[in-house]
Amino acid sequence: MKLLKSFLVAAMLFALPMTLPAKEITLLNVSYDPTRELYEEFNAAFAKYWKAKTGDDVTIKQSHGGSGKQARAVIDGLEADVVTLALAYDIDALHDNGNLIPIDWQKRFKSNSSPYTSTIVFLVRKGNPKNIKDWNDLVKPGVSVITPNPKTSGGARWNYLAAWAYALEHKQNPQEFVKALFKNVPVLDSGARGSTTTFVERGIGDVLLSWENEAFLAVNRLGKGEFEIVVPSLSILAEPPVTVVDRTVDKKGTRAVATAYLNYLYTPDGQRIAAKNYYRPRDKKAFDAYGKFFVKTKLITVDKVFGGWRKAQKTHFDDGGTFDKIYGK
Amino acid sequence: MSRNGVIGGFGLSMGYTLLYLSLIVIIPLSTILLSAMSMSWSDFIATVLDKRALLSYKVTLLASLAAAAVNLFIGFLTAWVLTRYDFYGKSIINAAVDLPFALPTAVAGITLTALYAENGWVGSILAKYGIKVVFTQTGITLALIFITFPFVVRAVQPALEELEAELEEAAESLGASKFQTLTKVILPLISPSLITGFALAFARGLGEYGSVIFISGNMPFKTEITPLLIITKLEQFNYAAANALALVTLLTAFAVLFLLGMLKKYIRREL
């Protein structure tokens, strides 16, 4: 009892400074892997804007990792004020497991809560020796395709759905089409970065299915002059969504600043920073300014073709879904 | 031995042991059991006896056994060299033995893959002879050999150090050949440590994830390890199924550790 008392006193002493009015605000943004550079730049810009507007200092901490893993960390108690993940399914999970956010979270911010978008392109070796032009070239015998495992990688799920949509568009049996495509996949890395390494460093495969921003990174930095980007006739509009985590902001009282933080992504300044980091801005001006980074092709959406992420995940990637059928005997 | 040792007697030290064991080992592990038990019995069976799961056990078990067996041999040899000979740079090699423990497992996986891939400098030589390592079962075993290497060395080394040179001299003077001295005198005496090293290496191999996924290729039904299946269950936020598979791994490891422990006890009695 005495021990408990002294413990409580100690705990209160530690807690006391936190209850004093604080001008110093800290936000935690839990994001996925390739957004590191984007948010480093964006956080500095937002802190400056917030200081000028309210006089308060705001520090934004970042956490990066695989999108699904990050969602689980938040579900398991990581106190994220905002999450900025790779796909809506991972944010849906915050509602489905523990009710951290309302079910209609995607309506809270503009453009499906996705301030920037991306797409999937092909990266081929210099001179395109296998003459790969479109999705139907990927199912030909003798072509080796590199993509991560859709079971573990958010990026790979976009690849898979893009191939599926292509088959639908060309009146082919989509299940047979993806089966033929994955027959040409010699290795399934667990994440997008792993696949890029397999293709670029190990020299395995004729074509890499890649995020547009990763492809530009590979072309411009990893191996200058060794790779070319091929734009298929159809691809998918990847919409990485963002949201405020109600459980955290209500507890910490940071709802206003967290909301302002995400809204700032939609301002011309936020859009410019996204475009500079190879993410497609929604804002036309920013898009035009960095237009050379973005390929032009027909883009389909998960909502229109697949009826949203919940349905797509259940049909294609959950156990017993169409992806498992490819390898089922 | 007196019941009151230097660290405060049986009651206190046992109390602390149980407390720490509970907080750090038993309670976390029992949550696995609880979570797996939240499934219905038929779901549990369907999850752990699924064909894909069964094949992943096979891949994981075979690779772990092979790696532990290889390390039994190389580990013994390394420990022998380190205890029996003095040579220049010995302390450096001695320290290097533990590096696989210190290295982040992902780094180990990436390095091994780079080296043994068909464009890597070991892999390109092997490729000439038609041997493929990366993205095969061999690759998984290779990663596990690397990761679990220190176990056998560190288990056997103290036993070898304690072994008196007189024993070997006595065996020799009684007419034993070198081979007989090794198999009839030395190996039986250090066999409990060899078993410990083997058991630790095997159990560690069952759970290894970080290094293996880079080198295994992760092809369903072929080179998919059980820990990868656990991760794919987690990606679907299916905690119960992930814990069901974890439970199978855990029970396998426990059974093997327990049986080898019994074997060790039996051997000690015979000696």
Side-chain angles (χ1 to χ4, degrees):
Chain A
M1 206 54 222
K2 207 172 159 191
L3 197 72
L4 186 73
K5 220 182 204 164
S6 56
F7 175 76
L8 282 177
V9 170
M12 268 164 68
L13 280 175
F14 275 108
L16 206 59
M18 293 178 201
T19 59
L20 297 171
K23 281 266 171 259
E24 187 96 19
I25 310 160
T26 308
L27 291 183
L28 175 62
N29 176 3
V30 171
S31 193
Y32 61 115
D33 261 330
T35 57
R36 187 162 299 144
E37 294 79 13
L38 163 65
Y39 279 107
E40 267 167 22
E41 198 174 342
F42 177 76
N43 291 346
F46 175 74
K48 215 170 128 197
Y49 157 81
W50 194 249
K51 177 87 181 161
K53 195 181 170 209
T54 64
D56 290 346
D57 285 314
V58 57
T59 315
I60 298 118
K61 289 191 181 142
Q62 290 168 250
S63 162
H64 297 273
S67 187
K69 205 186 286 168
Q70 294 291 80
R72 279 200 306 283
V74 175
I75 291 168
D76 293 341
L78 180 64
E79 297 212 317
D81 298 274
V82 300
V83 287
T84 54
L85 296 176
L87 54 165
Y89 169 69
D90 288 328
I91 299 188
D92 279 335
L94 300 187
H95 170 78
D96 299 348
N97 302 274
N99 204 12
L100 310 188
I101 53 171
I103 189 159
D104 60 348
W105 63 270
Q106 206 157 8
K107 298 213 176 78
R108 296 196 290 188
F109 290 91
K110 275 185 291 184
S111 315
N112 259 339
S113 291
S114 306
Y116 43 80
T117 64
S118 190
T119 189
I120 301 297
V121 297
F122 302 166
L123 195 67
V124 297
R125 300 196 186 280
K126 191 188 172 174
N128 197 357
K130 294 272 168 103
N131 198 23
I132 291 158
K133 294 256 156 58
D134 209 347
W135 292 97
N136 55 347
D137 294 317
L138 305 185
V139 300
K140 288 180 181 158
V143 173
S144 171
V145 184
I146 304 297
T147 168
N149 191 339
K151 293 285 234 183
T152 50
S153 156
R157 280 174 223 162
W158 294 109
N159 297 347
Y160 183 93
L161 293 182
W164 190 279
Y166 174 88
L168 282 178
E169 175 104 352
H170 290 80
K171 308 269 180 289
Q172 297 187 41
N173 179 339
Q175 178 78 58
E176 291 303 319
F177 188 82
V178 293
K179 185 167 183 172
L181 196 160
F182 274 85
K183 221 180 196 155
N184 285 341
V185 177
V187 43
L188 287 167
D189 282 294
S190 60
R193 266 298 148 85
S195 280
T196 308
T197 310
T198 299
F199 185 76
V200 173
E201 311 283 335
R202 309 278 165 273
I204 295 171
D206 301 310
V207 51
L208 169 73
L209 309 187
S210 163
W211 287 108
E212 185 180 48
N213 54 325
E214 287 265 311
F216 277 106
L217 188 78
V219 167
N220 294 334
R221 281 196 236 155
L222 295 175
K224 237 178 157 57
E226 286 179 53
F227 307 103
E228 291 173 16
I229 292 175
V230 170
V231 185
S233 67
L234 172 151
S235 193
I236 194 161
L237 182 71
E239 299 180 293
V242 301
T243 205
V244 168
V245 182
D246 299 62
R247 182 187 67 181
T248 314
V249 295
D250 288 344
K251 191 172 141 202
K252 281 171 65 182
T254 47
R255 181 179 287 276
V257 54
T259 307
Y261 175 75
L262 292 183
N263 272 326
Y264 195 69
L265 282 167
Y266 291 90
T267 63
D269 195 30
Q271 293 282 292
R272 185 189 57 78
I273 292 169
K276 202 178 143 203
N277 286 281
Y278 309 121
Y279 286 90
R280 297 172 165 237
R282 299 280 189 182
D283 179 57
K284 201 175 168 306
K285 247 193 200 149
F287 190 95
D288 291 342
Y290 290 87
K292 65 176 165 92
F293 290 137
F294 306 117
V295 302
K296 284 183 188 65
T297 186
K298 183 180 176 183
L299 296 177
I300 58 106
T301 67
V302 174
D303 285 348
K304 278 222 181 86
V305 179
F306 298 95
W309 261 109
R310 255 175 226 277
K311 209 173 149 209
Q313 171 73 27
K314 199 167 178 333
T315 319
H316 298 286
F317 307 118
D318 274 356
D319 285 345
T322 65
F323 178 72
D324 280 351
K325 290 202 182 95
I326 289 176
Y327 292 98
K329 285 172 192 162
Chain B
M1 209 190 292
S2 87
R3 275 176 62 90
N4 287 319
V6 279
I7 45 172
F10 176 75
L12 198 59
S13 51
M14 185 66 183
Y16 272 118
T17 306
L18 282 182
L19 177 69
Y20 284 124
L21 209 60
S22 306
L23 287 178
I24 294 177
V25 182
I26 297 172
I27 294 175
L29 291 188
S30 43
T31 60
I32 294 177
L33 186 69
L34 281 179
S35 168
M37 283 190 333
S38 71
M39 301 171 92
S40 75
W41 186 242
S42 58
D43 279 353
F44 179 82
I45 293 293
T47 305
V48 300
L49 294 185
D50 175 49
K51 195 176 166 202
R52 195 158 171 188
L54 290 176
L55 282 165
S56 83
Y57 304 148
K58 191 179 137 198
V59 170
T60 312
L61 277 174
L62 283 179
S64 305
L65 276 176
V70 170
N71 276 335
L72 197 61
F73 180 73
I74 309 179
F76 169 69
L77 208 64
T78 312
W80 181 265
V81 169
L82 287 175
T83 47
R84 287 307 156 96
Y85 303 102
D86 268 317
F87 52 90
Y88 187 74
K90 179 173 159 178
S91 48
I92 292 174
I93 292 189
N94 196 18
V97 166
D98 287 331
L99 281 184
F101 280 167
L103 204 64
T105 52
V107 177
I110 291 168
T111 313
L112 287 172
T113 312
L115 211 54
Y116 285 86
E118 273 176 49
N119 66 353
W121 65 267
V122 180
S124 58
I125 300 169
L126 292 175
K128 278 187 201 140
Y129 300 98
I131 303 169
K132 272 195 74 177
V133 177
V134 166
F135 311 138
T136 66
Q137 176 96 30
T138 320
I140 302 176
T141 311
L142 181 75
L144 293 183
I145 291 173
F146 178 86
I147 294 295
T148 61
F149 175 67
F151 284 112
V152 176
V153 182
R154 290 306 180 222
V156 170
Q157 216 174 354
L160 277 177
E161 271 162 9
E162 273 178 31
L163 216 61
E164 284 142 17
E166 286 85 357
L167 274 174
E168 283 160 60
E169 285 161 16
E172 207 180 326
S173 71
L174 290 169
S177 69
K178 277 190 173 155
F179 183 72
Q180 279 175 321
T181 312
L182 181 69
T183 54
K184 298 255 157 88
V185 179
I186 297 171
L187 284 182
L189 281 172
I190 62 159
S191 57
S193 331
L194 280 171
I195 292 170
T196 304
F198 180 87
L200 290 174
F202 173 76
R204 179 77 180 78
L206 285 184
E208 176 58 18
Y209 175 74
S211 62
V212 176
I213 48 151
F214 289 99
I215 204 166
S216 65
N218 307 323
M219 299 307 282
F221 300 106
K222 288 194 195 112
T223 56
E224 207 170 44
I225 52 167
T226 310
L228 178 73
L229 268 195
I230 295 175
I231 298 285
T232 68
K233 300 286 182 204
L234 287 177
E235 286 291 324
Q236 296 165 49
F237 302 97
N238 192 347
Y239 287 62
N243 279 315
L245 292 175
L247 191 65
V248 172
T249 311
L250 206 62
L251 289 178
T252 315
F254 184 77
V256 169
L257 290 175
F258 185 77
L259 286 176
L260 288 176
M262 298 300 282
L263 180 67
K264 217 160 70 179
K265 230 174 170 179
Y266 173 77
I267 291 175
R268 283 229 169 93
R269 242 197 329 252
E270 293 293 296
L271 284 174

